[in-house]
Amino acid sequence: MTSALWHGLYPGYYLGFFHFFMGQQLGRFIFKSKEMFEFLPPIVRKGLAWFASMFALNIGGSFFVLLGFHNAISFSIATMFIPSIVIVVPYLLFTLGIVGKSKKHKVKSH
């Protein structure tokens, strides 16, 4: 956010940084949710986490380049907000604990 302030008060910077953060966190959640994705080989799990991060970086980069609010909204409308939904909804699901909960077994002591 400091960088966005430094370069100017363009909405595209804030939308870009928002998507950068969400994507980075989403990739981290996917990488750490080994139990949820245990049916996938480890290399595929890492690839999925990498893809989520890169997808968000590309979308965030688009907002970053567009700068203006009108351009950012036009881009979002043209893509039917799908890139933002694909990033934000899974992030919220992981953050709220709806998906990705660990199945820790309690050990009973006698």
Side-chain angles (χ1 to χ4, degrees):
M1 289 300 157
T2 303
S3 179
L5 283 171
W6 178 263
H7 291 295
L9 299 174
Y10 295 104
Y13 288 150
Y14 297 98
L15 289 169
F17 283 120
F18 173 76
H19 283 81
F20 294 155
F21 171 76
M22 291 286 191
Q24 184 267 335
Q25 292 298 310
L26 182 58
R28 186 182 69 120
F29 287 143
I30 292 171
F31 185 75
K32 288 187 173 186
S33 297
K34 294 177 182 171
E35 293 170 352
M36 184 176 166
F37 298 102
E38 66 188 352
F39 63 94
L40 297 172
I43 190 75
V44 175
R45 273 197 312 265
K46 289 179 183 177
L48 184 61
W50 175 84
F51 177 78
S53 296
M54 291 301 111
F55 180 76
L57 285 173
N58 285 317
I59 298 305
S62 299
F63 286 119
F64 203 83
V65 170
L66 291 170
L67 292 179
F69 185 73
H70 176 72
N71 293 337
I73 292 300
S74 295
F75 170 75
S76 295
I77 290 170
T79 59
M80 298 185 292
F81 294 92
I82 291 172
S84 295
I85 292 169
V86 166
I87 295 168
V88 173
V89 170
Y91 171 81
L92 291 174
L93 292 175
F94 276 105
T95 301
L96 297 173
I98 296 170
V99 296
K101 289 182 181 179
S102 68
K103 300 174 186 174
K104 294 183 180 177
H105 301 286
K106 293 183 179 178
V107 177
K108 294 181 182 179
S109 59
H110 298 283

